[in-house]
Amino acid sequence: MTVAARAPYDFKPRDLMENFHGKQIVYAAWDGHLLFAASFLICVPPETSFRELVEGPLAQLLSIDPDAAAIDWAAVQWLKGNQPFSPDFDQSLVANGIGHKEQIRFRTPGLNSITAAA
Amino acid sequence: MDMKAPEKKLGIKEKYRLLTRDLAWQPTYRSEKEIYPYLDYEGIKIHDWDKWEDPFRLTMDAYWKYQGEKERKFYAIIDAHAQNNGHLNITDGRYLSALKIFLQAISPGEYAAHKGFARVGREFAGAGTQVACQMQALDEMRHAQTQIHALSNYNKYYSGFHAFAETRDRIWYTSVARSFFDDSMASGPFEFLIAIGFSFEYVLTNLLFVPFMSGAAYNGDMATVTFGFSAQSDEARHMTLGLECIKFMLEQDPDNLPIVQKWIDKWFWRGFRVLGLVSTMMDYMLPKRVMSWREAWEIYGVENGGALFKDLAFYGIRPPKGWEDAGKAIDHMSHQFMLGFYQWRFGTAFHSWIPSDQDMDWLSQKYPTTFDKYYRPRWDYIKRAEAEGKPFKNFGLAKLCQCCQLPCVFTEPDDASVLCHRQTTHKGEIYHFCSDGCQEIFEDEPEKYVQAWLPMPQLFQDPVNGDLAAWMDWAHLTDGLDNGEYQGSSDQRNFDRWRGLATSNT
Ligand SMILES: [Fe+2]
Ligand SMILES: [Fe+2]
Ligand SMILES: [Zn+2]
């Protein structure tokens, strides 16, 4: 469907990548770890490698969860845009197909001390 | 000597005719289309504007008289409240958080409603409609003013009240209410009427104002109770008019039904998301609670709303599409949202706190199927971490919904262990949503919502560019004063000290 309007109606999105001064947004969520109320918004250059994203800003944000130290990154299951995904840790976000405003999620089966009952 | 014949007193009906319908005239040198250019493009067909009924037959002279009387009473009480340190009569300083959210998110909505009704009063044809919209515009302006005046007294003593206008525009949780009103004002006149006149006034007022006002009464806040009373008779009129509007549209042409139904679906869901703010207040912020959010929903949502939609079934209207998902969310939303507020407390212009053991027992009693299973373990962990000197602070910014602008804190309708992730791609750009309801609203008019000003991504753009301290300055948020934990805040210290001075000899 399209907007009801009296004249041509076509305006620029507010969150285009060009507004982020060479960076992009990645959303990241740890499934089953609902101590964190929502996906994290992370703003990094698209050349960042997947490893730098995970070991840098993501790990830092996750560190307040009691399970964070026990994550085995080699065994983690990933989703991108809600579909299964195998990232190459040494490639950039772009090379991994992680575009601006992409959502990544990860699962750590067996590791869930706070919301295990849930 | 000339004797003037005594003027004949006009009956209400006659007076109403002369002072409203009779004000209209037939244009001669401009076409109706030129004068009312906004009436067609939404697809709503009106054949006879005279069929519009104002059940109150209110005329301007009577209106000024009633409102003037209410203003006098209101300001007498507000003055007394200010002079007698009424702010020290509230149950506890924690109550102020509910007031701050009200002033930052809801009062500006009254002003937005004023602007919207002033506009549609001009855009609609039909003198009856125009006069009714004009009076509602004045009411809403009065509500914004009386609320600001009533709460300005608290601003003399406590943090978080000082910059409500900037807070409304720049902070994240307030953008939920802001975008609700912006969306309605960016709609055509008929959709505006459904959004505000019907969904907001009729469907949601009971779930918003009633809990706030009874919360105020329970917690000793005379100022808020007074503006609540002063607005109540207006709101009763708005609710009736809202219902009249929808019936008018449905009676005018059968083609209007699917359009009206679509708007009811949309605005129910948008309103339900705004109510997320209210749910946290009812379940977590009132030191003396009125009823749980679930209980309020049962009375005002299920019972009253159910009866309304039964009535409207006569016109072919069915309950809003999101009704079922809303029902599933009731036992979760306040907890999910409050856990968010608490962990992002660095970025709120009000204080939050970890619920006490007593609070948590009350919550498990009110939410027997969900609180102990899902939410108590999280609060327990947060409490333990706090006790160990590692307060739980989430400095990650959140993914926001492109439609309702809430952080995506909600879980799947049928699985409270999985966050609800919804996304779509439009013209090469990805957009995220908190729910199916919000995604459907976007997909119906993507051109509108791609422009949404989302506070979190904006923080990484000009003028703030990711600098959190600069963001706080820009949002008029003073770190360590307006935000953070209630325990140890200046509000807590001041309230306890002043109350101590007022109630003891030390
Ligand atoms: Fe109002
Ligand atoms: Fe109203
Ligand atoms: Zn949403």
Side-chain angles (χ1 to χ4, degrees):
Chain A
M1 283 296 289
T2 180
V3 72
R6 296 175 64 238
Y9 190 107
D10 187 19
F11 299 95
K12 256 192 178 182
R14 292 297 279 267
D15 293 328
L16 291 175
M17 195 162 150
E18 65 195 40
N19 300 347
F20 289 84
H21 305 289
K23 293 183 180 170
Q24 71 168 80
I25 286 177
V26 181
Y27 293 110
W30 187 1
D31 279 11
H33 282 70
L34 296 171
L35 258 184
F36 299 117
S39 290
F40 300 111
L41 181 162
I42 299 172
C43 189
V44 284
E47 312 80 56
T48 311
S49 72
F50 195 77
R51 183 180 307 285
E52 286 165 336
L53 174 78
V54 168
E55 292 176 0
L58 184 59
Q60 204 187 343
L61 289 166
L62 296 174
S63 64
I64 54 173
D65 187 287
D67 292 337
I71 300 173
D72 173 6
W73 288 111
V76 157
Q77 302 166 2
W78 291 95
L79 299 174
K80 177 171 76 94
N82 300 327
Q83 299 302 317
F85 166 64
S86 314
D88 182 335
F89 273 64
D90 296 310
Q91 293 290 322
S92 69
L93 298 179
V94 193
N96 272 296
I98 299 171
H100 180 47
K101 294 182 284 172
E102 198 85 62
Q103 168 86 52
I104 54 172
R105 295 163 63 182
F106 67 98
R107 293 179 179 154
T108 52
L111 184 63
N112 194 341
S113 42
I114 303 296
T115 45
Chain B
M1 202 160 94
D2 279 347
M3 281 288 279
K4 228 175 151 190
E7 275 174 51
K8 201 176 95 212
K9 213 160 187 236
L10 295 171
I12 289 189
K13 229 175 161 173
E14 179 68 355
K15 197 160 115 182
Y16 175 73
R17 194 189 59 78
L18 289 170
L19 287 175
T20 60
R21 305 294 165 115
D22 211 37
L23 296 176
W25 65 88
Q26 279 300 317
T28 52
Y29 57 92
R30 291 285 181 192
S31 67
E32 292 265 357
K33 179 103 191 121
E34 284 175 294
I35 296 172
Y36 302 114
Y38 302 103
L39 294 179
D40 300 336
Y41 80 96
E42 296 173 273
I44 293 288
K45 296 175 186 154
I46 303 294
H47 304 289
D48 183 1
W49 281 95
D50 284 334
K51 288 267 160 46
W52 163 280
E53 282 294 336
D54 178 353
F56 295 93
R57 300 196 192 286
L58 194 58
T59 52
M60 260 311 155
D61 58 333
Y63 177 82
W64 290 124
K65 210 171 126 230
Y66 294 143
Q67 301 300 72
E69 190 56 36
K70 283 196 285 186
E71 292 281 280
R72 272 192 295 282
K73 284 186 193 151
F74 170 77
Y75 282 101
I77 297 176
I78 291 303
D79 286 348
H81 181 264
Q83 283 160 21
N84 298 314
N85 280 326
H87 67 101
L88 294 178
N89 292 333
I90 59 172
T91 40
D92 183 69
R94 287 174 297 159
Y95 167 72
L96 298 165
S97 287
L99 280 188
K100 292 173 194 181
I101 294 181
F102 192 90
L103 182 66
Q104 296 161 6
I106 307 299
S107 302
E110 303 271 17
Y111 182 67
H114 150 74
K115 286 204 288 188
F117 274 102
R119 196 198 88 200
V120 298
R122 169 64 186 85
E123 291 178 356
F124 283 131
T129 329
Q130 291 166 351
V131 171
C133 288
Q134 189 187 358
M135 283 190 253
Q136 184 155 351
L138 291 168
D139 289 341
E140 303 298 4
M141 172 66 103
R142 195 177 78 86
H143 298 168
Q145 282 185 348
T146 50
Q147 287 167 21
I148 293 163
H149 281 159
L151 298 182
S152 68
N153 187 40
Y154 291 97
N155 180 46
K156 293 181 203 157
Y157 304 100
Y158 305 104
S159 68
F161 291 95
H162 63 294
F164 68 93
E166 288 83 2
T167 309
R168 182 256 187 188
D169 285 345
R170 299 180 176 188
I171 287 191
W172 49 283
Y173 53 91
T174 48
S175 76
V176 180
R178 175 176 56 79
S179 89
F180 177 98
F181 284 99
D182 284 355
D183 189 352
S184 75
M185 293 207 291
S187 303
F190 291 103
E191 187 179 346
F192 175 83
L193 225 56
I194 296 285
I196 308 300
F198 181 70
S199 289
F200 194 71
E201 301 281 1
Y202 203 91
V203 184
L204 305 170
T205 289
N206 279 331
L207 280 159
L208 203 152
F209 285 92
V210 176
F212 259 108
M213 297 318 148
S214 27
Y218 267 57
N219 287 279
D221 173 13
M222 271 314 288
T224 300
V225 171
T226 309
F227 79 60
F229 272 130
S230 187
Q232 203 173 40
S233 52
D234 299 342
E235 299 303 357
R237 181 155 34 84
H238 300 173
M239 287 171 74
T240 311
L241 285 173
L243 193 58
E244 278 313 308
C245 297
I246 187 171
K247 289 184 177 168
F248 174 67
M249 284 187 224
L250 294 169
E251 281 164 355
Q252 284 288 314
D253 198 295
D255 290 352
N256 294 344
L257 176 64
I259 307 176
V260 169
Q261 180 73 59
K262 184 177 90 171
W263 290 336
I264 287 181
D265 291 346
K266 168 181 171 181
W267 288 99
F268 166 75
W269 192 252
R270 294 227 55 181
F272 185 70
R273 281 309 191 219
V274 175
L275 290 175
L277 292 168
V278 182
S279 72
T280 59
M281 178 204 71
M282 297 196 71
D283 285 342
Y284 285 91
M285 292 183 191
L286 298 180
K288 204 168 151 66
R289 291 181 204 86
V290 179
M291 57 171 81
S292 67
W293 161 248
R294 155 153 290 287
E295 288 163 333
W297 173 255
E298 266 158 22
I299 298 170
Y300 299 113
V302 178
E303 275 178 41
N304 296 5
L308 168 71
F309 286 108
K310 230 168 161 177
D311 275 1
L312 290 176
F314 170 79
Y315 297 92
I317 291 286
R318 49 156 181 75
K321 217 182 206 172
W323 189 259
E324 214 174 290
D325 280 353
K328 290 177 184 170
I330 295 301
D331 286 325
H332 299 278
M333 58 196 279
S334 67
H335 316 298
Q336 294 174 346
F337 204 2
M338 195 64 214
L339 279 153
F341 269 155
Y342 183 75
Q343 63 193 261
W344 297 308
R345 62 194 178 281
F346 70 91
T348 60
F350 60 85
H351 299 298
S352 48
W353 52 89
I354 301 170
S356 68
D357 291 343
Q358 213 189 359
D359 290 340
M360 288 209 259
D361 291 345
W362 183 86
L363 289 166
S364 28
Q365 192 202 326
K366 295 296 179 186
Y367 295 94
T369 57
T370 57
F371 187 75
D372 286 349
K373 185 173 177 195
Y374 298 105
Y375 305 107
R376 191 193 277 268
R378 297 179 209 171
W379 285 117
D380 279 345
Y381 174 76
I382 290 171
K383 196 173 217 168
R384 266 201 318 278
E386 167 86 26
E388 287 163 15
K390 296 180 291 185
F392 191 79
K393 293 181 184 174
N394 181 353
F395 285 105
L397 300 186
K399 180 177 80 171
L400 303 182
C401 174
Q402 188 77 26
C403 174
C404 73
Q405 307 207 356
L406 274 166
C408 296
V409 297
F410 303 108
T411 47
E412 289 288 348
D414 294 307
D415 186 352
S417 69
V418 182
L419 279 179
C420 190
H421 294 281
R422 295 289 183 276
Q423 67 178 69
T424 194
T425 301
H426 176 73
K427 293 191 178 165
E429 292 285 314
I430 303 174
Y431 298 96
H432 298 274
F433 310 95
C434 71
S435 56
D436 292 327
C438 281
Q439 179 164 358
E440 280 168 29
I441 294 170
F442 175 95
E443 283 173 347
D444 191 54
E445 296 183 311
E447 303 85 350
K448 191 170 192 180
Y449 300 97
V450 298
Q451 307 165 70
W453 185 94
L454 298 176
M456 301 279 181
Q458 285 298 318
L459 207 150
F460 290 96
Q461 302 181 31
D462 292 328
V464 168
N465 295 318
D467 177 345
L468 206 55
W471 173 74
M472 287 188 181
D473 283 347
W474 180 75
H476 293 242
L477 185 74
T478 309
D479 193 21
L481 184 68
D482 299 321
N483 58 0
E485 187 89 24
Y486 179 70
Q487 287 303 321
S489 67
S490 71
D491 276 7
Q492 187 215 9
R493 279 196 311 277
N494 288 334
F495 182 79
D496 291 352
R497 191 158 51 101
W498 295 329
R499 167 87 126 233
L501 288 172
T503 56
S504 71
N505 296 309
T506 47

